[in-house]
Amino acid sequence: MPLACTLGDTCHIQHLPDHAPGPEIRDFLCGGLSYDGHDGTDFALPSLAAMRAGVDVLAAAAGQVVGIRDGMDDVLYDPESAAIDGRECGNGVVIRHADGWETQYCHMKQGSVSVRSGDTVAPGDRLGQVGLSGQTQFPHLHLAVRHDGRSVDPFAPEAPDACQPDAPWSPDRRAALSADDLWARTPPLSPGGLIQVGFAPALPEYDAIKDGRAAHATLPDDAPAVVIYGFAYGGQPGDVLRLDITGPGGQPFHTREVELTRAQAQLFRASGRRLTAPAWPRGTYDGRVTLLRDGLPLATMATQLRID
């Protein structure tokens, strides 16, 4: 792992390399967890707050540092700006390994790069921290792997060029391809999932969710509303986001299912109830958000709220 995080908890894989030769999008399991021409694996953090707290970037293999960049600002990419032309990777590190292999680590935090050209590193050595520099809209590490100058997918170095209609994200296909991957220990992978869930007293702002400041652990009993939200990634048309709230004592409080109509790399949905009585019942409210695909749960996250 090139990051000091736990996949499915404190980070997730947002994008995989694109294996489709044309404008189509196809990851190595014939799914859509990529975008056109993407040549690396994106390990994303759940919020800007997690980035500010600091998550270390680690060397994926032993080698020698042959290039670094630092000093670029951690800001959301603006397509109208030409300031990053030729520097889309942002702050980063390039490591040369044996037998023509090379890894590149992009979008690192300004001022965090802790190695210099010529340094020798071992697997797991700290290179810096995850940031928001370069061409990126969310805090993540872009890991590119190359062999003799050719981009290689570490999950599937020899992925086939075509897919069968029933192939996407097949467990058997995943197991067969993992047997030949480049990982010392294959990271767990999901075709989509939940990044964070939480309660709020109103419909939360998307910027607040992405920053990590939307969730409330407690609310007063006269809060204007009780709303649960789910922040998800890898959404596909037909996916369903189910939002459930159970009130104190296990009483049913609110349930809603929202079907997605288009593919979205990241998205959020929220639902709840407005206050119509003098006050909410006091106690603990349990929330659960489930992402369903083809009617089956793909990911579930739970949260709690205390109303006093």
Side-chain angles (χ1 to χ4, degrees):
M1 272 285 290
L3 234 63
C5 66
T6 302
L7 282 171
D9 183 11
T10 55
C11 63
H12 66 279
I13 293 178
Q14 176 68 56
H15 294 123
L16 294 164
D18 179 22
H19 285 267
E24 300 172 346
I25 299 169
R26 185 173 70 238
D27 60 46
F28 79 100
L29 289 174
C30 300
L33 198 67
S34 187
Y35 60 86
D36 188 30
H38 190 240
D39 66 352
T41 305
D42 289 345
F43 295 83
L45 302 185
S47 66
L48 291 169
M51 181 196 81
R52 290 191 293 267
V55 178
D56 287 345
V57 174
L58 312 174
Q64 184 178 42
V65 177
V66 295
I68 68 163
R69 181 190 293 123
D70 205 344
M72 292 182 66
D73 293 337
D74 292 296
V75 295
L76 294 175
Y77 168 64
D78 180 0
E80 301 300 319
S81 173
I84 67 164
D85 285 355
R87 302 186 299 162
E88 288 80 4
C89 176
N91 303 317
V93 175
V94 177
I95 300 176
R96 184 173 296 150
H97 311 283
D99 302 321
W101 289 94
E102 187 175 83
T103 51
Q104 184 174 13
Y105 309 75
C106 295
H107 312 310
M108 292 168 65
K109 186 188 293 184
Q110 183 181 35
S112 76
V113 176
S114 56
V115 293
R116 294 293 178 262
S117 291
D119 287 354
T120 298
V121 296
D125 280 358
R126 183 181 183 275
L127 305 178
Q129 292 191 327
V130 179
L132 194 67
S133 60
Q135 188 172 330
T136 179
Q137 295 283 0
F138 55 94
H140 74 283
L141 171 74
H142 173 97
L143 174 71
V145 179
R146 294 185 284 267
H147 186 239
D148 293 335
R150 179 181 65 88
S151 293
V152 176
D153 184 346
F155 283 94
E158 303 298 334
D161 293 330
C163 293
Q164 300 300 320
D166 60 349
W169 295 94
S170 158
D172 292 340
R173 175 180 168 80
R174 169 71 192 276
L177 288 172
S178 294
D180 297 318
D181 68 26
L182 300 181
W183 299 102
R185 179 182 298 175
T186 304
L189 184 62
S190 173
L194 293 163
I195 302 171
Q196 56 167 287
V197 301
F199 280 105
L203 181 68
E205 296 289 337
Y206 198 12
D207 285 347
I209 292 174
K210 291 186 286 187
D211 191 70
R213 53 184 169 83
H216 290 246
T218 61
L219 288 175
D221 63 3
D222 62 349
V226 173
V227 175
I228 188 171
Y229 69 86
F231 183 26
Y233 72 94
Q236 297 295 316
D239 286 357
V240 172
L241 211 61
R242 179 184 172 96
L243 304 116
D244 293 300
I245 304 174
T246 303
Q251 292 297 311
F253 183 83
H254 182 76
T255 295
R256 186 185 177 198
E257 292 188 350
V258 183
E259 183 172 344
L260 306 185
T261 58
R262 60 189 177 94
Q264 289 181 269
Q266 293 187 345
L267 63 122
F268 91 95
R269 297 292 186 270
S271 189
R273 285 171 51 183
R274 297 181 185 275
L275 181 63
T276 56
W280 297 111
R282 296 185 176 186
T284 299
Y285 290 68
D286 291 298
R288 182 176 297 273
V289 179
T290 304
L291 177 64
L292 299 107
R293 182 164 296 170
D294 299 324
L296 300 175
L298 189 61
T300 300
M301 290 184 74
T303 186
Q304 280 192 331
L305 171 72
R306 181 75 187 177
I307 291 185
D308 296 318

